[in-house]
Amino acid sequence: MAELLLVSRWLSAVPGFLTPRTGPGARIGFVPTASSIYDDRAWVDLDRTTLHDQGWQTVELDIEAMTAANMEKALATVDAVFVSGGNVFHLLAAMRRTGFADKLTAHVEAGLPYIGASAGACVIGADIEPLGLLDDPTEATGLHSTTGLGWIDEVIVPHADGIVSGPAVVDEVVRLYGEKFTLRLIADDQALLVSGGNLSVVSS
């Protein structure tokens, strides 16, 4: 059963989530793919540094450059996976195109803990269509469907306090998509914990 921590921005909830599941000093497969289309990836560097400061080891998983065999080997040898933020449309396209989506899903369903930040949180939900107001869908190559990985039945909307995009954009997401999808709005100081089939919002 999937064990997920879906954060909007900050990672303070990671130790409380991961330590009981992996023990201290675990190896985390770090997937920076959502940001690979940008020159400035400061938030990814911050995430990586924060995880190191918390005592975790990170193993870089550049899925756009890895073979299928190397992906499988990596997923079999890490204790958890962390998928960082960026453009969720680019991330989903890359995960589908490389086959990583199916491999990751199989490992998470088998119990591999998953931490997703921003785009990394959104990609696992039911759909990413509403996030077109937050990210530019045209930055993705070869994305034929906005259907997400479907690990939960909700659509994650990060940065719901409006600090990143402004509150008007978040309000517009709710107005346009609130009846079509079950939206889960998460502020930057919150995270969604999915454990044992239960969903709960925790501080992050």
Side-chain angles (χ1 to χ4, degrees):
M1 186 173 290
E3 295 288 304
L4 318 174
L5 182 68
L6 309 173
V7 310
S8 177
R9 190 172 188 181
W10 309 120
L11 307 185
S12 58
V14 171
F17 168 74
L18 211 50
T19 302
R21 293 166 174 81
T22 66
R27 285 164 48 89
I28 301 176
F30 189 96
V31 181
T33 305
S35 67
S36 68
I37 55 176
Y38 302 125
D39 293 328
D40 182 3
R41 307 172 191 176
W43 64 92
V44 179
D45 296 335
L46 178 60
D47 284 350
R48 195 183 290 106
T49 298
T50 300
L51 292 173
H52 290 166
D53 289 346
Q54 291 175 346
W56 314 109
Q57 306 173 57
T58 60
V59 180
E60 205 79 0
L61 303 185
D62 181 0
I63 64 172
E64 293 172 289
M66 297 174 75
T67 65
N70 284 341
M71 284 182 202
E72 187 61 42
K73 180 179 179 181
L75 288 171
T77 54
V78 296
D79 303 306
V81 169
F82 179 97
V83 178
S84 64
N87 185 300
V88 68
F89 296 92
H90 169 66
L91 175 60
L92 181 59
M95 292 176 79
R96 297 270 190 224
R97 184 174 65 251
T98 61
F100 187 71
D102 291 338
K103 295 180 188 302
L104 178 62
T105 297
H107 280 270
V108 169
E109 288 178 345
L112 183 69
Y114 177 91
I115 304 162
S118 192
C122 300
V123 74
I124 67 90
D127 209 291
I128 62 171
E129 179 186 349
L131 304 170
L133 276 70
L134 301 175
D135 290 344
D136 184 356
T138 66
E139 293 181 328
T141 300
L143 183 62
H144 305 296
S145 169
T146 58
T147 301
L149 301 189
W151 298 351
I152 63 174
D153 295 330
E154 301 177 353
V155 173
I156 301 294
V157 181
H159 316 304
D161 41 13
I163 295 173
V164 172
S165 61
V169 174
V170 178
D171 290 345
E172 189 71 353
V173 171
V174 174
R175 187 184 72 80
L176 292 176
Y177 295 103
E179 293 185 5
K180 183 176 181 180
F181 299 105
T182 301
L183 303 178
R184 173 73 71 161
L185 275 62
I186 303 178
D188 280 348
D189 61 353
Q190 295 178 325
L192 181 66
L193 173 64
V194 182
S195 180
N198 298 315
L199 284 67
S200 58
V201 175
V202 298
S203 296
S204 183

